[in-house]
Amino acid sequence: MSHTLHQPRRIDIETLCADKGLRITEQRRVIARVLSEAEDHPDVEALHERASAIDPGISIATVYRTVRLFEDAGILSRHDFGNGRSRYEAAPEAHHDHLIDVESGRVMEFVDDELEELQRRIAERLGFRLVDHRMELYGVPLDRKD
């Protein structure tokens, strides 16, 4: 089987901002660093909590504006994993899919070559060339006692 868990990548969001020509204020720099260091897919509230621990002057509104700016610039990807809150990660350099533990909210990234090939073949069978896709699987741990 050709599947692997995909470790979250450390992407320097500050550098991506500079590459895109975005003006980087000190508060945006703090938010960018928090996002770069995140090993999960935080929502805006979690980002605000982490950023305000570094700079108590950062408001939730600033975090919302900054996240929207980064998303519009293609620096962040937004995900809705079904709990009503958007969660964010640095825009991936390479494709990966997500498995979400519905009990804990933990998100695991994975790549499965067989699955990718199957999706390509299905698109072709339906008369399309696959150019992009997003897959989110939701589950509970197998060792859960019901």
Side-chain angles (χ1 to χ4, degrees):
M1 216 176 278
S2 57
H3 63 276
T4 58
L5 280 179
H6 197 257
Q7 294 301 315
R9 303 128 338 274
R10 295 284 173 134
I11 297 175
D12 185 348
I13 291 179
E14 277 184 84
T15 300
L16 292 176
C17 288
D19 292 347
K20 302 262 184 185
L22 292 181
R23 189 172 67 85
I24 189 87
T25 64
E26 191 52 42
Q27 289 187 334
R28 286 180 186 169
R29 185 180 323 280
V30 169
I31 295 165
R33 285 182 184 159
V34 167
L35 283 162
S36 294
E37 293 169 4
E39 294 184 1
D40 56 354
H41 297 70
D43 62 19
V44 169
E45 288 78 11
L47 287 171
H48 177 248
E49 183 179 314
R50 296 171 195 179
S52 63
I54 298 166
D55 179 349
I58 295 177
S59 70
I60 190 86
T62 298
V63 176
Y64 272 107
R65 281 191 306 271
T66 302
V67 163
R68 175 66 48 99
L69 176 73
F70 290 174
E71 185 183 357
D72 289 347
I75 293 168
L76 285 185
S77 289
R78 178 169 42 102
H79 300 282
D80 179 6
F81 292 136
N83 66 353
R85 288 186 165 175
S86 295
R87 294 170 66 174
Y88 297 89
E89 69 175 328
E93 295 173 348
H95 171 77
H96 61 268
D97 297 310
H98 296 96
L99 174 62
I100 299 96
D101 179 333
V102 296
E103 292 179 347
S104 70
R106 191 177 95 162
V107 178
M108 291 163 277
E109 297 176 352
F110 70 94
V111 175
D112 186 302
D113 295 335
E114 291 176 63
L115 185 57
E116 296 301 315
E117 176 60 21
L118 178 60
Q119 292 172 35
R120 186 192 63 73
R121 287 196 329 257
I122 290 170
E124 284 181 0
R125 193 174 326 136
L126 295 172
F128 288 85
R129 180 177 57 85
L130 193 62
V131 294
D132 193 16
H133 77 277
R134 178 180 291 191
M135 177 173 285
E136 297 167 358
L137 304 174
Y138 299 84
V140 295
L142 288 173
D143 59 0
R144 179 179 127 174
K145 308 282 188 262
D146 283 330

